[in-house]
């Protein structure tokens, strides 16, 4: 049930492991980015999906999140499979 809820949520849901690799990627995230679940899983989130100019700051936010330090209302710029930019507020 939880898996289906995450997969079919009307909001992008993605996650990373302690190494920064994608370990969650729901259907809405796939729709927004153009990258399927299979294409995204285990790939480094920042260097693969985030625009280059934000790599350092996004990595810092992700590292802080893994330490339990929250950042609210942070805008991520995802690079889609077709090289368009999609903005996601996290």
């Amino acid at each position: 049930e939880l898996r289906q809820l995450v997969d079919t949520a009307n909001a992008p849901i993605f996650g990373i492991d302690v190494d920064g690799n994608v370990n969650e990627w729901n259907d809405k995230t796939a729709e927004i980015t153009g990258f399927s679940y299979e294409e995204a899983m285990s790939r480094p989130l920042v260097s693969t999906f985030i625009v280059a100019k934000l790599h350092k700051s996004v990595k810092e936010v992700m590292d802080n999140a893994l330490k339990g330090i929250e950042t609210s209302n942070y805008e991520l710029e995802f690079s889609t499979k077709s090289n368009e930019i999609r903005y996601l507020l996290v």
Side-chain angles (χ1 to χ4, degrees):
E1 274 183 28
L2 181 58
R3 174 84 262 145
Q4 184 177 6
L5 178 66
V6 169
D7 285 344
T8 61
N10 195 29
I13 298 173
F14 58 92
I16 58 168
D17 62 20
V18 295
D19 296 317
N21 297 319
V22 174
N23 63 5
E24 184 61 64
W25 196 264
N26 76 342
D27 294 346
K28 185 56 79 173
T29 307
E31 178 185 325
I32 290 169
T33 65
F35 290 98
S36 70
Y37 173 89
E38 292 79 14
E39 292 171 309
M41 289 305 289
S42 300
R43 298 196 54 199
L45 178 76
V46 174
S47 63
T48 306
F49 303 106
I50 304 298
V51 296
K53 69 181 181 179
L54 295 180
H55 282 187
K56 184 178 178 183
S57 64
V58 171
K59 176 113 175 63
E60 188 175 298
V61 168
M62 298 296 181
D63 287 345
N64 284 339
L66 289 169
K67 294 175 190 170
I69 303 168
E70 292 186 26
T71 302
S72 58
N73 298 324
Y74 187 81
E75 188 172 72
L76 294 177
E77 293 182 33
F78 271 78
S79 182
T80 68
K81 195 170 185 177
S82 60
N83 291 316
E84 296 176 272
I85 304 299
R86 296 286 185 261
Y87 300 92
L88 298 177
L89 187 64
V90 297

